[in-house]
Amino acid sequence: MSGGDMLDFEIRPNPTPVSAVERAALLAAPGFGRVFTDHMVTIRYAEGKGWYDARVEARGPIPMDPASAVLHYAQEIFEGLKAYRLADGSITMFRPEANAARFVDSARRMAMPELPPGLFVDSLRRLVDIDRDWIPEGDGASLYLRPFMIASEVFLGVRPSNEYLYVVIASPAGSYFSGGVKPVTVWVSPDYTRAAPGGTGAAKCGGNYAASLAAQAEAIEAGCDQVVFLDAVERRYVDELGGMNVFFVYDDGTLVTPPLTGTILPGITRDALLTLAAEAGHRVEERPVSFADWQADAASGRLREAFACGTAAVITPIGRVKYPDGEFAVADGGQGPVTTALQQRLVDIQRGRAADEHGWVTRL
């Protein structure tokens, strides 16, 4: 079957998989993004033919011509989500359909073909099924799934590619930050911006992350863990961190996060937290927050907590904020009761310890 919304996958098991003993040693302390499973998914696309040649095969290098379009014009998108091993041994994924929808949105913005959502989710199922022994156990542990698509046509003309390669790889993961979840210090970049109106800020494309690296290096040099970007027009309003959305928690229990105006990635964790916070009785607002207000509200005590959120780190409290002219602290070191409760609630749903009333968890 080819060119349709669903495809038949050819299964080519890895003839030399990692031994059980070596795999156990790797899973003991996988870190994040450094250890990979035995297999990957590949699907190809050609203009006029559609999606075809779906495979589960041994993970390995991707043959690539030096004139491949992705190397010159950066037509590339990706996603990130996790599979979990529950206490009863079953395997789940958290909101893969939401990732599939965002993958379609990103493809549309980058002038790439839209992978049918059903095929996206099926590709994840196939890889998790064959590499399920790579899913680590324990709190904070998961199998991180990285679907991505690149322009693979060999040409140097400036136009959308006519050929694409979709790939899914998987990486067993521990905590995103070494030492586990703890408040981080962030750097407010005075010079760099992440995205501008009309740009690609709402697409999950590699170029957005490449654009953040110089600012992230600046943050590290300033003794910070992450960079915070302000808006590209007025340089006043908080957009997001290098790879995470931002929330502010006030003394009346209100949660505020910057609105999705096209410059901010519509985070799937962000969306879940908006829902969970409202269910917990908090007032939730999507509105602009200026850096000046962040600083003033922290000084007055009106701002009680701040945190960043995303698939990889889930929730990360923000304890201190640095900028060229000084620094300030967030009350409670950033890790207050609201942040802690939301973190626990979300993790409990992801790991099957709480009722999934929203249908977010997909069992495999």
Side-chain angles (χ1 to χ4, degrees):
M1 182 177 182
S2 65
D5 286 354
M6 298 297 290
L7 298 176
D8 294 326
F9 280 78
E10 180 182 357
I11 309 299
R12 299 181 177 182
N14 190 329
T16 57
V18 172
S19 71
V21 173
E22 184 180 355
R23 184 176 62 240
L26 292 170
L27 291 181
F32 184 84
R34 296 186 178 276
V35 176
F36 298 93
T37 67
D38 291 311
H39 297 87
M40 65 183 184
V41 165
T42 59
I43 310 176
R44 296 189 175 274
Y45 177 92
E47 186 70 24
K49 185 175 183 178
W51 295 99
Y52 70 101
D53 196 16
R55 301 179 186 178
V56 178
E57 58 188 328
R59 181 185 176 275
I62 301 171
M64 183 174 293
D65 190 284
S68 295
V70 65
L71 300 178
H72 302 272
Y73 308 116
Q75 264 193 299
E76 182 272 352
I77 58 173
F78 69 98
E79 275 298 324
L81 67 159
K82 292 178 177 178
Y84 303 91
R85 187 183 301 278
L86 304 190
D88 63 3
S90 62
I91 307 300
T92 65
M93 291 187 293
F94 184 70
R95 304 192 69 186
E97 295 83 4
N99 291 93
R102 190 169 66 182
F103 201 69
V104 167
D105 291 339
S106 295
R108 189 177 298 125
R109 177 61 185 86
M110 301 300 290
M112 303 173 78
E114 298 173 15
L115 185 74
L119 183 54
F120 178 97
V121 175
D122 192 32
S123 72
L124 304 177
R125 289 178 178 273
R126 301 278 184 164
L127 185 58
V128 171
D129 183 60
I130 199 169
D131 279 340
R132 62 194 304 119
D133 289 341
W134 281 94
I135 305 176
E137 299 180 3
D139 281 348
S142 61
L143 184 67
Y144 182 78
L145 302 170
R146 171 54 62 87
F148 64 95
M149 178 173 29
I150 61 173
S152 56
E153 184 181 0
V154 178
F155 82 111
L156 295 179
V158 182
R159 61 163 173 78
S161 175
N162 288 323
E163 297 175 5
Y164 295 87
L165 176 65
Y166 169 78
V167 183
V168 189
I169 56 176
S171 174
S175 175
Y176 184 74
F177 291 107
S178 60
V181 177
K182 56 185 178 182
V184 297
T185 300
V186 298
W187 171 257
V188 179
S189 177
D191 301 314
Y192 297 103
T193 60
R194 178 184 172 274
T200 60
K204 198 166 178 67
C205 61
N208 291 341
Y209 294 80
S212 75
L213 297 180
Q216 178 63 24
E218 183 181 70
I220 298 298
E221 186 176 347
C224 300
D225 303 286
Q226 274 282 342
V227 62
V228 175
F229 291 104
L230 302 181
D231 75 285
V233 178
E234 299 185 53
R235 304 293 182 94
R236 292 179 54 199
Y237 298 100
V238 177
D239 261 9
E240 63 175 89
L241 272 69
M244 292 179 278
N245 298 120
V246 185
F247 277 81
F248 303 94
V249 184
Y250 294 90
D251 55 6
D252 63 354
T254 299
L255 273 77
V256 178
T257 191
L260 301 179
T261 58
T263 63
I264 295 175
L265 185 72
I268 292 165
T269 303
R270 172 190 182 275
D271 180 70
L273 289 173
L274 287 171
T275 298
L276 295 178
E279 289 178 350
H282 296 282
R283 179 180 177 183
V284 294
E285 298 179 359
E286 297 179 71
R287 62 170 174 81
V289 176
S290 71
F291 175 60
D293 285 343
W294 187 0
Q295 187 175 5
D297 290 341
S300 71
R302 180 169 176 257
L303 178 70
R304 304 307 305 173
E305 307 170 40
F307 63 85
C309 66
T311 297
V314 189
I315 290 179
T316 301
I318 297 172
R320 296 194 67 81
V321 182
K322 291 186 177 182
Y323 55 103
D325 297 328
E327 62 181 271
F328 61 90
V330 177
D332 300 327
Q335 195 166 6
V338 176
T339 301
T340 301
L342 287 173
Q343 166 90 357
Q344 191 61 56
R345 175 65 175 156
L346 182 57
V347 170
D348 284 347
I349 293 173
Q350 290 173 334
R351 297 187 175 277
R353 298 192 293 255
D356 174 27
E357 299 172 350
H358 303 283
W360 287 342
V361 174
T362 297
R363 290 186 176 269
L364 305 179

